[in-house]
Amino acid sequence: MAVSEYGSKPTDYVGCYAYDALLVGFKCSGFQASELVSFALNYPLYHLYMPFFVFWNPLLILVLLAMYSPLVMLLISNGKVVSARV
């Protein structure tokens, strides 16, 4: 499965393609796990875009905190492990 070039796709299209309707993203269609693959491809982009969305809807700060909390916990625990070794 490869990402094809931009443009409109026919209704029977199978695969993933990039779109750029204001924000760049990926859309997959034509196979059973298309929604899952689409989410996996867009997941890093959600982390990039979410801080900007908070400006338009401050309630999204809760989503932002939930998205970044695993990373923060990883950094804190890694810091504790490193400091315990010294």
Side-chain angles (χ1 to χ4, degrees), residues 34-85:
S34 62
E35 292 294 323
L36 182 64
V37 173
S38 190
F39 178 77
L41 289 173
N42 287 317
Y43 192 69
L45 295 173
Y46 295 151
H47 281 80
L48 178 69
Y49 297 146
M50 189 56 69
F52 299 110
F53 292 151
V54 171
F55 291 120
W56 286 283
N57 187 355
L59 191 59
L60 289 176
I61 193 77
L62 300 173
V63 175
L64 182 72
L65 291 174
M67 286 176 66
Y68 280 101
S69 64
L71 179 63
V72 171
M73 289 189 299
L74 176 70
L75 293 174
I76 290 171
S77 66
N78 191 26
K80 287 183 179 184
V81 168
V82 169
S83 67
R85 289 184 183 171

Side-chain angles (χ1 to χ4, degrees), residues 21-32:
L22 293 179
L23 299 173
V24 175
F26 297 98
K27 176 101 172 110
C28 298
S29 63
F31 54 98
Q32 280 188 336

